[in-house]
Every structure is written in structure tokens, then in C-alpha cells.
PDB file of all heavy atoms in Angstrom:
ATOM      1  N   SER L  63      18.318-189.223-101.202  1.00  0.00           N
ATOM      2  CA  SER L  63      19.130-189.200 -99.978  1.00  0.00           C
ATOM      3  C   SER L  63      20.427-188.410-100.189  1.00  0.00           C
ATOM      4  O   SER L  63      20.868-187.677 -99.300  1.00  0.00           O
ATOM      5  CB  SER L  63      19.424-190.612 -99.488  1.00  0.00           C
ATOM      6  OG  SER L  63      20.154-191.335-100.454  1.00  0.00           O
ATOM      7  N   VAL L  64      21.035-188.531-101.352  1.00  0.00           N
ATOM      8  CA  VAL L  64      22.256-187.774-101.654  1.00  0.00           C
ATOM      9  C   VAL L  64      21.937-186.277-101.687  1.00  0.00           C
ATOM     10  O   VAL L  64      22.641-185.461-101.082  1.00  0.00           O
ATOM     11  CB  VAL L  64      22.883-188.231-102.991  1.00  0.00           C
ATOM     12  CG1 VAL L  64      23.936-187.243-103.478  1.00  0.00           C
ATOM     13  CG2 VAL L  64      23.477-189.609-102.850  1.00  0.00           C
ATOM     14  N   ILE L  65      20.875-185.904-102.365  1.00  0.00           N
ATOM     15  CA  ILE L  65      20.479-184.498-102.454  1.00  0.00           C
ATOM     16  C   ILE L  65      20.136-183.967-101.067  1.00  0.00           C
ATOM     17  O   ILE L  65      20.509-182.846-100.717  1.00  0.00           O
ATOM     18  CB  ILE L  65      19.287-184.328-103.415  1.00  0.00           C
ATOM     19  CG1 ILE L  65      19.664-184.809-104.813  1.00  0.00           C
ATOM     20  CG2 ILE L  65      18.827-182.873-103.442  1.00  0.00           C
ATOM     21  CD1 ILE L  65      18.489-185.028-105.730  1.00  0.00           C
ATOM     22  N   GLY L  66      19.458-184.774-100.279  1.00  0.00           N
ATOM     23  CA  GLY L  66      19.130-184.376 -98.915  1.00  0.00           C
ATOM     24  C   GLY L  66      20.376-184.121 -98.078  1.00  0.00           C
ATOM     25  O   GLY L  66      20.423-183.167 -97.297  1.00  0.00           O
ATOM     26  N   ARG L  67      21.400-184.951 -98.248  1.00  0.00           N
ATOM     27  CA  ARG L  67      22.655-184.732 -97.510  1.00  0.00           C
ATOM     28  C   ARG L  67      23.371-183.477 -97.998  1.00  0.00           C
ATOM     29  O   ARG L  67      23.985-182.767 -97.206  1.00  0.00           O
ATOM     30  CB  ARG L  67      23.560-185.964 -97.614  1.00  0.00           C
ATOM     31  CG  ARG L  67      23.058-187.136 -96.786  1.00  0.00           C
ATOM     32  CD  ARG L  67      24.098-188.237 -96.655  1.00  0.00           C
ATOM     33  NE  ARG L  67      24.581-188.749 -97.924  1.00  0.00           N
ATOM     34  CZ  ARG L  67      24.038-189.761 -98.606  1.00  0.00           C
ATOM     35  NH1 ARG L  67      22.977-190.385 -98.120  1.00  0.00           N
ATOM     36  NH2 ARG L  67      24.552-190.174 -99.742  1.00  0.00           N
ATOM     37  N   TRP L  68      23.280-183.186 -99.296  1.00  0.00           N
ATOM     38  CA  TRP L  68      23.874-181.951 -99.797  1.00  0.00           C
ATOM     39  C   TRP L  68      23.211-180.732 -99.146  1.00  0.00           C
ATOM     40  O   TRP L  68      23.867-179.751 -98.846  1.00  0.00           O
ATOM     41  CB  TRP L  68      23.707-181.823-101.308  1.00  0.00           C
ATOM     42  CG  TRP L  68      24.505-182.782-102.129  1.00  0.00           C
ATOM     43  CD1 TRP L  68      25.596-183.518-101.750  1.00  0.00           C
ATOM     44  CD2 TRP L  68      24.278-183.114-103.499  1.00  0.00           C
ATOM     45  NE1 TRP L  68      26.052-184.273-102.790  1.00  0.00           N
ATOM     46  CE2 TRP L  68      25.266-184.045-103.880  1.00  0.00           C
ATOM     47  CE3 TRP L  68      23.335-182.718-104.440  1.00  0.00           C
ATOM     48  CZ2 TRP L  68      25.342-184.570-105.169  1.00  0.00           C
ATOM     49  CZ3 TRP L  68      23.403-183.237-105.714  1.00  0.00           C
ATOM     50  CH2 TRP L  68      24.403-184.157-106.075  1.00  0.00           C
ATOM     51  N   ALA L  69      21.910-180.819 -98.940  1.00  0.00           N
ATOM     52  CA  ALA L  69      21.154-179.686 -98.394  1.00  0.00           C
ATOM     53  C   ALA L  69      21.211-179.617 -96.867  1.00  0.00           C
ATOM     54  O   ALA L  69      20.920-178.569 -96.295  1.00  0.00           O
ATOM     55  CB  ALA L  69      19.704-179.776 -98.855  1.00  0.00           C
ATOM     56  N   ASP L  70      21.574-180.704 -96.212  1.00  0.00           N
ATOM     57  CA  ASP L  70      21.599-180.762 -94.744  1.00  0.00           C
ATOM     58  C   ASP L  70      22.862-180.090 -94.206  1.00  0.00           C
ATOM     59  O   ASP L  70      23.974-180.525 -94.492  1.00  0.00           O
ATOM     60  CB  ASP L  70      21.540-182.221 -94.296  1.00  0.00           C
ATOM     61  CG  ASP L  70      21.486-182.388 -92.794  1.00  0.00           C
ATOM     62  OD1 ASP L  70      21.506-181.377 -92.062  1.00  0.00           O
ATOM     63  OD2 ASP L  70      21.419-183.542 -92.339  1.00  0.00           O
ATOM     64  N   ALA L  71      22.674-179.059 -93.395  1.00  0.00           N
ATOM     65  CA  ALA L  71      23.808-178.301 -92.851  1.00  0.00           C
ATOM     66  C   ALA L  71      24.698-179.151 -91.956  1.00  0.00           C
ATOM     67  O   ALA L  71      25.880-178.851 -91.794  1.00  0.00           O
ATOM     68  CB  ALA L  71      23.295-177.091 -92.077  1.00  0.00           C
ATOM     69  N   LYS L  72      24.164-180.215 -91.390  1.00  0.00           N
ATOM     70  CA  LYS L  72      24.949-181.035 -90.467  1.00  0.00           C
ATOM     71  C   LYS L  72      25.636-182.221 -91.140  1.00  0.00           C
ATOM     72  O   LYS L  72      26.491-182.857 -90.543  1.00  0.00           O
ATOM     73  CB  LYS L  72      24.055-181.528 -89.337  1.00  0.00           C
ATOM     74  CG  LYS L  72      23.547-180.376 -88.488  1.00  0.00           C
ATOM     75  CD  LYS L  72      22.627-180.843 -87.415  1.00  0.00           C
ATOM     76  CE  LYS L  72      22.115-179.630 -86.647  1.00  0.00           C
ATOM     77  NZ  LYS L  72      21.028-179.936 -85.782  1.00  0.00           N
ATOM     78  N   ALA L  73      25.267-182.500 -92.375  1.00  0.00           N
ATOM     79  CA  ALA L  73      25.889-183.614 -93.096  1.00  0.00           C
ATOM     80  C   ALA L  73      27.188-183.130 -93.745  1.00  0.00           C
ATOM     81  O   ALA L  73      27.247-182.018 -94.272  1.00  0.00           O
ATOM     82  CB  ALA L  73      24.945-184.148 -94.165  1.00  0.00           C
ATOM     83  N   PRO L  74      28.238-183.940 -93.730  1.00  0.00           N
ATOM     84  CA  PRO L  74      29.518-183.501 -94.291  1.00  0.00           C
ATOM     85  C   PRO L  74      29.588-183.569 -95.820  1.00  0.00           C
ATOM     86  O   PRO L  74      30.578-183.129 -96.407  1.00  0.00           O
ATOM     87  CB  PRO L  74      30.518-184.482 -93.666  1.00  0.00           C
ATOM     88  CG  PRO L  74      29.726-185.718 -93.437  1.00  0.00           C
ATOM     89  CD  PRO L  74      28.333-185.247 -93.090  1.00  0.00           C
ATOM     90  N   ASP L  75      28.548-184.076 -96.461  1.00  0.00           N
ATOM     91  CA  ASP L  75      28.573-184.281 -97.912  1.00  0.00           C
ATOM     92  C   ASP L  75      28.612-182.959 -98.671  1.00  0.00           C
ATOM     93  O   ASP L  75      27.850-182.041 -98.374  1.00  0.00           O
ATOM     94  CB  ASP L  75      27.347-185.072 -98.361  1.00  0.00           C
ATOM     95  CG  ASP L  75      27.259-186.417 -97.677  1.00  0.00           C
ATOM     96  OD1 ASP L  75      27.127-186.422 -96.440  1.00  0.00           O
ATOM     97  OD2 ASP L  75      27.327-187.433 -98.363  1.00  0.00           O
ATOM     98  N   GLN L  76      29.477-182.898 -99.674  1.00  0.00           N
ATOM     99  CA  GLN L  76      29.566-181.747-100.559  1.00  0.00           C
ATOM    100  C   GLN L  76      29.242-182.188-101.974  1.00  0.00           C
ATOM    101  O   GLN L  76      29.520-183.315-102.362  1.00  0.00           O
ATOM    102  CB  GLN L  76      30.965-181.154-100.511  1.00  0.00           C
ATOM    103  CG  GLN L  76      31.328-180.621 -99.149  1.00  0.00           C
ATOM    104  CD  GLN L  76      32.752-180.100 -99.126  1.00  0.00           C
ATOM    105  OE1 GLN L  76      33.303-179.733-100.149  1.00  0.00           O
ATOM    106  NE2 GLN L  76      33.336-180.069 -97.952  1.00  0.00           N
ATOM    107  N   MET L  77      28.657-181.282-102.741  1.00  0.00           N
ATOM    108  CA  MET L  77      28.320-181.598-104.123  1.00  0.00           C
ATOM    109  C   MET L  77      29.590-181.778-104.937  1.00  0.00           C
ATOM    110  O   MET L  77      30.529-180.985-104.791  1.00  0.00           O
ATOM    111  CB  MET L  77      27.540-180.443-104.752  1.00  0.00           C
ATOM    112  CG  MET L  77      26.140-180.289-104.312  1.00  0.00           C
ATOM    113  SD  MET L  77      25.423-178.888-105.230  1.00  0.00           S
ATOM    114  CE  MET L  77      23.738-179.062-104.718  1.00  0.00           C
ATOM    115  N   PRO L  78      29.617-182.772-105.821  1.00  0.00           N
ATOM    116  CA  PRO L  78      30.736-182.853-106.762  1.00  0.00           C
ATOM    117  C   PRO L  78      30.632-181.685-107.754  1.00  0.00           C
ATOM    118  O   PRO L  78      29.553-181.141-107.980  1.00  0.00           O
ATOM    119  CB  PRO L  78      30.539-184.200-107.450  1.00  0.00           C
ATOM    120  CG  PRO L  78      29.129-184.580-107.210  1.00  0.00           C
ATOM    121  CD  PRO L  78      28.673-183.869-105.971  1.00  0.00           C
ATOM    122  N   LEU L  79      31.754-181.295-108.313  1.00  0.00           N
ATOM    123  CA  LEU L  79      31.766-180.143-109.214  1.00  0.00           C
ATOM    124  C   LEU L  79      30.832-180.315-110.402  1.00  0.00           C
ATOM    125  O   LEU L  79      30.227-179.351-110.874  1.00  0.00           O
ATOM    126  CB  LEU L  79      33.191-179.866-109.698  1.00  0.00           C
ATOM    127  CG  LEU L  79      34.122-179.297-108.632  1.00  0.00           C
ATOM    128  CD1 LEU L  79      35.521-179.116-109.197  1.00  0.00           C
ATOM    129  CD2 LEU L  79      33.597-177.994-108.079  1.00  0.00           C
ATOM    130  N   ASP L  80      30.692-181.532-110.904  1.00  0.00           N
ATOM    131  CA  ASP L  80      29.793-181.748-112.034  1.00  0.00           C
ATOM    132  C   ASP L  80      28.349-181.437-111.639  1.00  0.00           C
ATOM    133  O   ASP L  80      27.610-180.837-112.417  1.00  0.00           O
ATOM    134  CB  ASP L  80      29.907-183.185-112.557  1.00  0.00           C
ATOM    135  CG  ASP L  80      29.086-183.385-113.803  1.00  0.00           C
ATOM    136  OD1 ASP L  80      29.298-182.614-114.772  1.00  0.00           O
ATOM    137  OD2 ASP L  80      28.215-184.276-113.810  1.00  0.00           O
ATOM    138  N   ALA L  81      27.957-181.810-110.434  1.00  0.00           N
ATOM    139  CA  ALA L  81      26.598-181.506-109.966  1.00  0.00           C
ATOM    140  C   ALA L  81      26.419-180.002-109.807  1.00  0.00           C
ATOM    141  O   ALA L  81      25.391-179.440-110.202  1.00  0.00           O
ATOM    142  CB  ALA L  81      26.318-182.215-108.643  1.00  0.00           C
ATOM    143  N   VAL L  82      27.435-179.338-109.261  1.00  0.00           N
ATOM    144  CA  VAL L  82      27.376-177.878-109.109  1.00  0.00           C
ATOM    145  C   VAL L  82      27.189-177.229-110.470  1.00  0.00           C
ATOM    146  O   VAL L  82      26.319-176.379-110.669  1.00  0.00           O
ATOM    147  CB  VAL L  82      28.654-177.342-108.424  1.00  0.00           C
ATOM    148  CG1 VAL L  82      28.707-175.820-108.488  1.00  0.00           C
ATOM    149  CG2 VAL L  82      28.740-177.816-106.989  1.00  0.00           C
ATOM    150  N   ARG L  83      28.007-177.630-111.422  1.00  0.00           N
ATOM    151  CA  ARG L  83      27.927-177.054-112.763  1.00  0.00           C
ATOM    152  C   ARG L  83      26.558-177.264-113.392  1.00  0.00           C
ATOM    153  O   ARG L  83      25.956-176.332-113.934  1.00  0.00           O
ATOM    154  CB  ARG L  83      29.008-177.674-113.668  1.00  0.00           C
ATOM    155  CG  ARG L  83      29.045-177.065-115.063  1.00  0.00           C
ATOM    156  CD  ARG L  83      29.929-177.868-116.003  1.00  0.00           C
ATOM    157  NE  ARG L  83      29.534-179.262-116.117  1.00  0.00           N
ATOM    158  CZ  ARG L  83      28.511-179.695-116.879  1.00  0.00           C
ATOM    159  NH1 ARG L  83      27.775-178.852-117.553  1.00  0.00           N
ATOM    160  NH2 ARG L  83      28.225-180.980-116.942  1.00  0.00           N
ATOM    161  N   ARG L  84      26.043-178.478-113.299  1.00  0.00           N
ATOM    162  CA  ARG L  84      24.762-178.792-113.930  1.00  0.00           C
ATOM    163  C   ARG L  84      23.612-178.031-113.283  1.00  0.00           C
ATOM    164  O   ARG L  84      22.748-177.484-113.975  1.00  0.00           O
ATOM    165  CB  ARG L  84      24.502-180.294-113.871  1.00  0.00           C
ATOM    166  CG  ARG L  84      25.451-181.081-114.759  1.00  0.00           C
ATOM    167  CD  ARG L  84      25.309-182.564-114.584  1.00  0.00           C
ATOM    168  NE  ARG L  84      24.030-183.006-115.114  1.00  0.00           N
ATOM    169  CZ  ARG L  84      23.464-184.174-114.823  1.00  0.00           C
ATOM    170  NH1 ARG L  84      24.078-185.023-114.023  1.00  0.00           N
ATOM    171  NH2 ARG L  84      22.314-184.516-115.351  1.00  0.00           N
ATOM    172  N   LEU L  85      23.597-177.963-111.952  1.00  0.00           N
ATOM    173  CA  LEU L  85      22.512-177.274-111.267  1.00  0.00           C
ATOM    174  C   LEU L  85      22.599-175.764-111.452  1.00  0.00           C
ATOM    175  O   LEU L  85      21.578-175.093-111.653  1.00  0.00           O
ATOM    176  CB  LEU L  85      22.478-177.641-109.783  1.00  0.00           C
ATOM    177  CG  LEU L  85      21.628-178.860-109.436  1.00  0.00           C
ATOM    178  CD1 LEU L  85      22.175-180.134-110.053  1.00  0.00           C
ATOM    179  CD2 LEU L  85      21.523-179.022-107.930  1.00  0.00           C
ATOM    180  N   GLU L  86      23.814-175.205-111.390  1.00  0.00           N
ATOM    181  CA  GLU L  86      23.950-173.764-111.613  1.00  0.00           C
ATOM    182  C   GLU L  86      23.564-173.396-113.038  1.00  0.00           C
ATOM    183  O   GLU L  86      22.969-172.343-113.272  1.00  0.00           O
ATOM    184  CB  GLU L  86      25.373-173.305-111.305  1.00  0.00           C
ATOM    185  CG  GLU L  86      25.666-173.268-109.822  1.00  0.00           C
ATOM    186  CD  GLU L  86      27.044-172.748-109.478  1.00  0.00           C
ATOM    187  OE1 GLU L  86      27.906-172.644-110.368  1.00  0.00           O
ATOM    188  OE2 GLU L  86      27.252-172.440-108.292  1.00  0.00           O
ATOM    189  N   GLU L  87      23.870-174.250-113.983  1.00  0.00           N
ATOM    190  CA  GLU L  87      23.458-174.013-115.365  1.00  0.00           C
ATOM    191  C   GLU L  87      21.938-174.045-115.489  1.00  0.00           C
ATOM    192  O   GLU L  87      21.349-173.258-116.221  1.00  0.00           O
ATOM    193  CB  GLU L  87      24.082-175.072-116.272  1.00  0.00           C
ATOM    194  CG  GLU L  87      23.848-174.847-117.740  1.00  0.00           C
ATOM    195  CD  GLU L  87      24.545-175.905-118.584  1.00  0.00           C
ATOM    196  OE1 GLU L  87      25.751-176.123-118.375  1.00  0.00           O
ATOM    197  OE2 GLU L  87      23.870-176.521-119.429  1.00  0.00           O
ATOM    198  N   ASP L  88      21.296-174.926-114.739  1.00  0.00           N
ATOM    199  CA  ASP L  88      19.843-175.061-114.789  1.00  0.00           C
ATOM    200  C   ASP L  88      19.145-173.808-114.271  1.00  0.00           C
ATOM    201  O   ASP L  88      18.194-173.335-114.885  1.00  0.00           O
ATOM    202  CB  ASP L  88      19.405-176.281-113.972  1.00  0.00           C
ATOM    203  CG  ASP L  88      17.909-176.526-114.052  1.00  0.00           C
ATOM    204  OD1 ASP L  88      17.409-176.774-115.170  1.00  0.00           O
ATOM    205  OD2 ASP L  88      17.237-176.454-113.003  1.00  0.00           O
ATOM    206  N   CYS L  89      19.607-173.273-113.145  1.00  0.00           N
ATOM    207  CA  CYS L  89      18.926-172.107-112.569  1.00  0.00           C
ATOM    208  C   CYS L  89      19.597-170.791-112.950  1.00  0.00           C
ATOM    209  O   CYS L  89      19.070-169.718-112.671  1.00  0.00           O
ATOM    210  CB  CYS L  89      18.828-172.228-111.053  1.00  0.00           C
ATOM    211  SG  CYS L  89      20.391-172.015-110.188  1.00  0.00           S
TER     212      CYS L  89
END
């Protein structure tokens, strides 16, 4: 549900910087 809100253009949720760092490192 958290990941879905990050991907949903209408949800106000933003990724925390740690998640950004980890995912960008992965791909």
C-alpha cells in the first residue's frame, strides 16, 4: 500500500530519501 501510494499520481505520499537511495542504487 505504501509503494502503491508512492506510485499514485493523486496520492500526496513521497518516498523518504532512504527509499529513493536504495531503489536508485538497485536500478
Side-chain angles (χ1 to χ4, degrees):
S63 61
V64 166
I65 300 165
R67 287 192 304 271
W68 291 342
D70 183 359
K72 295 178 182 168
D75 302 63
Q76 297 177 24
M77 286 182 172
L79 289 178
D80 186 55
V82 170
R83 183 191 57 79
R84 291 173 69 197
L85 271 64
E86 286 183 346
E87 186 178 309
D88 183 62
C89 72

